[in-house]
Coordinates of all heavy atoms in Angstrom, one line a residue:
Y1 N -3.2 20.7 2.0 CA -2.5 21.9 1.6 C -1.6 21.6 0.5 O -1.0 20.6 0.3 CB -1.7 22.4 2.8 CG -2.5 22.9 4.0 CD1 -2.6 22.1 5.2 CD2 -3.2 24.0 3.9 CE1 -3.4 22.6 6.2 CE2 -4.0 24.5 5.0 CZ -4.1 23.8 6.1 OH -4.9 24.2 7.2
I2 N -1.4 22.7 -0.4 CA -0.4 22.6 -1.5 C 1.0 22.7 -1.0 O 1.9 22.0 -1.3 CB -0.8 23.6 -2.5 CG1 -2.1 23.3 -3.2 CG2 0.3 23.6 -3.6 CD1 -2.6 24.4 -4.1
F3 N 1.2 23.7 -0.1 CA 2.5 24.0 0.4 C 2.7 23.3 1.8 O 2.2 23.8 2.8 CB 2.7 25.5 0.6 CG 2.6 26.3 -0.7 CD1 1.3 26.8 -1.0 CD2 3.6 26.4 -1.5 CE1 1.2 27.5 -2.2 CE2 3.5 27.1 -2.7 CZ 2.3 27.7 -3.1
R4 N 3.3 22.1 1.8 CA 3.5 21.3 3.0 C 4.9 21.1 3.3 O 5.8 21.0 2.4 CB 2.8 19.9 2.8 CG 1.3 20.0 2.8 CD 0.7 18.7 2.3 NE 0.9 18.5 0.9 CZ 0.7 17.3 0.3 NH1 0.4 16.2 1.0 NH2 0.9 17.2 -1.0
R5 N 5.2 21.0 4.6 CA 6.6 20.8 5.1 C 7.0 19.4 4.9 O 6.2 18.5 4.6 CB 6.7 21.2 6.5 CG 5.8 20.4 7.4 CD 5.9 20.9 8.9 NE 7.2 20.7 9.4 CZ 7.5 19.6 10.1 NH1 6.6 18.7 10.4 NH2 8.8 19.5 10.6
T6 N 8.3 19.1 5.1 CA 8.8 17.7 5.1 C 8.8 17.1 6.5 O 9.0 17.9 7.5 CB 10.2 17.7 4.4 OG1 11.0 18.6 5.2 CG2 10.1 18.1 3.0
I7 N 8.7 15.8 6.5 CA 8.9 15.1 7.8 C 9.9 14.0 7.6 O 10.0 13.5 6.4 CB 7.5 14.6 8.3 CG1 6.9 13.7 7.2 CG2 6.6 15.7 8.7 CD1 5.6 13.0 7.7
L8 N 10.5 13.6 8.6 CA 11.5 12.4 8.6 C 10.7 11.1 8.8 O 9.9 11.0 9.7 CB 12.5 12.6 9.6 CG 13.8 13.3 9.2 CD1 14.7 13.5 10.4 CD2 14.6 12.6 8.1
T9 N 10.9 10.2 7.9 CA 10.3 8.9 8.0 C 11.3 7.8 8.1 O 12.5 8.1 8.3 CB 9.4 8.6 6.8 OG1 10.2 8.6 5.6 CG2 8.3 9.7 6.6
L10 N 10.9 6.6 8.0 CA 11.8 5.5 8.2 C 13.0 5.5 7.2 O 14.2 5.2 7.6 CB 11.1 4.1 8.0 CG 11.9 2.8 8.2 CD1 12.4 2.7 9.6 CD2 11.1 1.6 7.8
T11 N 12.8 5.9 6.0 CA 13.8 5.8 5.0 C 14.3 7.2 4.5 O 15.1 7.3 3.5 CB 13.3 5.0 3.8 OG1 12.1 5.6 3.3 CG2 13.1 3.6 4.1
G12 N 13.8 8.3 5.1 CA 14.3 9.6 4.7 C 13.2 10.6 4.8 O 12.2 10.5 5.6
Y13 N 13.3 11.7 4.0 CA 12.3 12.8 4.0 C 11.2 12.5 3.1 O 11.3 12.0 2.0 CB 13.0 14.1 3.6 CG 13.9 14.7 4.6 CD1 15.3 14.5 4.6 CD2 13.4 15.4 5.7 CE1 16.2 15.0 5.5 CE2 14.3 15.9 6.7 CZ 15.6 15.7 6.6 OH 16.5 16.2 7.5
E14 N 10.0 12.9 3.5 CA 8.8 12.9 2.7 C 7.9 14.1 3.0 O 8.1 14.8 4.0 CB 8.0 11.6 3.0 CG 8.6 10.3 2.5 CD 7.7 9.1 2.8 OE1 6.5 9.3 3.3 OE2 8.1 8.0 2.5
I15 N 7.0 14.4 2.1 CA 6.1 15.6 2.3 C 5.1 15.2 3.3 O 4.5 14.1 3.2 CB 5.5 16.0 0.9 CG1 6.5 16.6 0.0 CG2 4.4 17.0 1.2 CD1 7.1 17.9 0.5
S16 N 4.9 16.0 4.3 CA 3.9 15.8 5.3 C 2.5 15.7 4.7 O 2.1 16.5 3.8 CB 3.9 16.9 6.4 OG 2.8 16.8 7.3
P17 N 1.6 14.8 5.1 CA 0.3 14.7 4.6 C -0.6 15.9 4.9 O -1.6 16.2 4.2 CB -0.3 13.4 5.1 CG 0.5 13.2 6.4 CD 1.9 13.7 6.1
K18 N -0.4 16.6 6.0 CA -1.3 17.6 6.5 C -0.7 18.8 7.1 O -1.4 19.8 7.3 CB -2.3 17.0 7.5 CG -1.6 16.4 8.7 CD -2.7 15.8 9.7 CE -3.3 14.5 9.0 NZ -4.2 13.8 10.0
E19 N 0.6 18.9 7.3 CA 1.2 20.1 8.0 C 1.7 21.1 6.9 O 2.6 20.7 6.1 CB 2.3 19.6 8.9 CG 1.9 18.7 10.0 CD 3.1 18.4 10.9 OE1 3.9 19.3 11.2 OE2 3.2 17.2 11.2
P20 N 1.2 22.3 7.0 CA 1.7 23.3 6.0 C 3.1 23.8 6.3 O 3.5 23.7 7.5 CB 0.6 24.4 6.0 CG 0.1 24.3 7.4 CD 0.2 22.9 7.8
I21 N 3.7 24.5 5.4 CA 5.0 25.1 5.6 C 4.7 26.4 6.5 O 3.7 27.1 6.2 CB 5.7 25.5 4.3 CG1 6.0 24.3 3.5 CG2 6.9 26.3 4.5 CD1 6.5 24.6 2.1
S22 N 5.5 26.6 7.5 CA 5.3 27.8 8.3 C 5.7 29.1 7.6 O 6.6 29.0 6.7 CB 6.0 27.6 9.6 OG 7.4 27.6 9.4
Y23 N 5.2 30.2 8.0 CA 5.5 31.5 7.4 C 7.0 31.8 7.7 O 7.7 32.3 6.8 CB 4.7 32.6 8.0 CG 5.0 33.9 7.5 CD1 4.7 34.4 6.2 CD2 5.8 34.8 8.3 CE1 5.0 35.7 5.8 CE2 6.1 36.1 7.9 CZ 5.8 36.5 6.6 OH 6.1 37.7 6.2
N24 N 7.5 31.5 8.9 CA 8.9 31.8 9.2 C 9.9 31.0 8.4 O 10.9 31.5 8.0 CB 9.1 31.5 10.7 CG 8.4 32.5 11.6 OD1 8.1 33.6 11.2 ND2 8.1 32.0 12.9
A25 N 9.5 29.7 8.1 CA 10.4 28.9 7.3 C 10.5 29.5 5.8 O 11.5 29.6 5.3 CB 9.9 27.5 7.3
M26 N 9.3 29.8 5.3 CA 9.3 30.3 3.9 C 10.0 31.7 3.8 O 10.7 31.9 2.9 CB 7.8 30.4 3.4 CG 7.7 30.9 2.0 SD 8.4 29.8 0.8 CE 7.1 28.5 0.8
A27 N 9.8 32.5 4.8 CA 10.4 33.8 4.8 C 12.0 33.7 4.9 O 12.7 34.4 4.3 CB 9.9 34.7 6.0
A28 N 12.4 32.7 5.7 CA 13.9 32.5 5.8 C 14.5 32.0 4.5 O 15.6 32.4 4.2 CB 14.1 31.5 7.0
W29 N 13.8 31.1 3.8 CA 14.3 30.6 2.5 C 14.4 31.7 1.5 O 15.4 31.9 0.8 CB 13.3 29.5 2.0 CG 13.3 28.3 2.8 CD1 14.2 27.9 3.8 CD2 12.2 27.3 2.9 NE1 13.8 26.8 4.4 CE2 12.6 26.4 3.8 CE3 11.1 27.1 2.1 CZ2 11.8 25.2 4.1 CZ3 10.3 26.0 2.4 CH2 10.6 25.1 3.4
I30 N 13.4 32.6 1.4 CA 13.4 33.7 0.5 C 14.5 34.7 0.8 O 15.2 35.2 0.0 CB 12.0 34.4 0.4 CG1 10.9 33.4 -0.1 CG2 12.0 35.6 -0.4 CD1 9.5 33.9 -0.1
K31 N 14.6 35.0 2.1 CA 15.7 35.9 2.5 C 17.0 35.3 2.2 O 17.9 36.1 1.7 CB 15.5 36.1 4.1 CG 16.6 37.0 4.6 CD 16.5 37.1 6.2 CE 17.7 37.8 6.8 NZ 17.5 37.9 8.3
G32 N 17.3 34.0 2.5 CA 18.6 33.4 2.2 C 18.9 33.4 0.7 O 20.1 33.7 0.4
V33 N 17.9 33.1 -0.1 CA 18.2 33.1 -1.6 C 18.5 34.6 -2.0 O 19.3 34.8 -2.9 CB 17.0 32.5 -2.3 CG1 17.2 32.7 -3.8 CG2 16.8 31.1 -2.0
G34 N 17.8 35.5 -1.5 CA 18.1 36.9 -1.8 C 19.5 37.3 -1.5 O 20.1 38.1 -2.2
R35 N 20.0 36.8 -0.4 CA 21.4 37.2 0.0 C 22.4 36.5 -1.0 O 23.4 37.1 -1.3 CB 21.7 36.7 1.4 CG 20.9 37.5 2.5 CD 21.5 37.4 3.8 NE 21.1 38.4 4.7 CZ 21.5 38.6 6.0 NH1 22.5 37.9 6.4 NH2 21.0 39.6 6.7
I36 N 22.1 35.2 -1.4 CA 22.9 34.6 -2.3 C 22.9 35.3 -3.7 O 23.9 35.4 -4.3 CB 22.5 33.1 -2.5 CG1 22.6 32.3 -1.2 CG2 23.2 32.4 -3.7 CD1 22.1 31.0 -1.3
L37 N 21.8 35.9 -4.0 CA 21.7 36.7 -5.2 C 22.5 38.0 -5.2 O 22.9 38.5 -6.2 CB 20.2 37.0 -5.5 CG 19.8 37.7 -6.8 CD1 20.3 37.0 -8.0 CD2 18.3 38.0 -6.9
G38 N 22.8 38.4 -3.9 CA 23.6 39.6 -3.8 C 22.8 40.9 -3.5 O 23.3 42.0 -3.7
I39 N 21.6 40.8 -3.0 CA 20.7 41.9 -2.7 C 21.1 42.5 -1.3 O 21.2 41.7 -0.4 CB 19.2 41.6 -2.8 CG1 18.9 41.1 -4.2 CG2 18.4 42.7 -2.4 CD1 17.5 40.7 -4.4
E40 N 21.2 43.8 -1.2 CA 21.6 44.4 0.1 C 20.5 44.3 1.1 O 20.7 43.8 2.2 CB 22.0 45.8 -0.1 CG 22.4 46.5 1.2 CD 22.8 48.0 0.9 OE1 22.5 48.5 -0.2 OE2 23.2 48.6 1.9
D41 N 19.3 44.7 0.8 CA 18.2 44.7 1.7 C 17.6 43.2 1.8 O 17.8 42.5 0.8 CB 17.0 45.6 1.2 CG 17.5 47.1 1.2 OD1 18.3 47.4 2.0 OD2 17.1 47.8 0.2
N42 N 17.0 42.9 2.9 CA 16.5 41.6 3.0 C 15.2 41.5 2.1 O 14.3 42.3 2.2 CB 16.0 41.4 4.5 CG 17.2 41.2 5.4 OD1 18.3 40.8 5.0 ND2 17.1 41.6 6.7
V43 N 15.2 40.4 1.3 CA 14.0 40.2 0.5 C 13.0 39.5 1.4 O 13.2 38.5 2.0 CB 14.4 39.2 -0.7 CG1 13.2 39.0 -1.5 CG2 15.5 39.8 -1.5
I44 N 11.8 40.1 1.5 CA 10.7 39.6 2.3 C 9.5 39.2 1.4 O 9.5 39.6 0.3 CB 10.3 40.7 3.4 CG1 9.8 42.0 2.7 CG2 11.4 41.0 4.3 CD1 9.3 43.0 3.6
C45 N 8.6 38.5 2.0 CA 7.5 38.0 1.3 C 6.6 39.2 0.8 O 5.9 39.1 -0.2 CB 6.6 37.1 2.1 SG 7.5 35.6 2.6
Y46 N 6.6 40.3 1.6 CA 5.8 41.4 1.2 C 6.4 42.3 0.1 O 5.7 43.2 -0.4 CB 5.6 42.3 2.5 CG 4.4 41.9 3.3 CD1 4.4 40.8 4.1 CD2 3.2 42.6 3.2 CE1 3.3 40.4 4.9 CE2 2.1 42.2 3.9 CZ 2.1 41.1 4.8 OH 1.0 40.8 5.5
S47 N 7.6 42.0 -0.3 CA 8.2 42.7 -1.4 C 7.3 42.6 -2.7 O 7.1 43.6 -3.4 CB 9.6 42.3 -1.7 OG 10.5 42.5 -0.6

């Protein structure tokens, strides 16, 4: 997968070899950045 989540290893964070990023995680990141930008409505992936 191109879009992969991070996992904790012995020395820190690394990109997982096979686990993709979940939809809920990506949606939360986009929504949070939209709030920092100052948008009133929640920015969703479907926008």
Side-chain angles (χ1 to χ4, degrees):
Y1 293 109
I2 296 176
F3 301 92
R4 288 170 287 164
R5 62 182 293 264
T6 55
I7 56 174
L8 269 173
T9 61
L10 179 65
T11 56
Y13 286 99
E14 290 184 4
I15 291 293
S16 170
K18 56 182 68 172
E19 297 181 45
I21 299 173
S22 67
Y23 175 79
N24 290 336
M26 183 63 74
W29 297 341
I30 295 175
K31 174 183 174 182
V33 174
R35 290 199 167 188
I36 296 173
L37 183 58
I39 298 177
E40 178 182 9
D41 298 325
N42 290 331
V43 181
I44 60 176
C45 299
Y46 271 78
S47 297

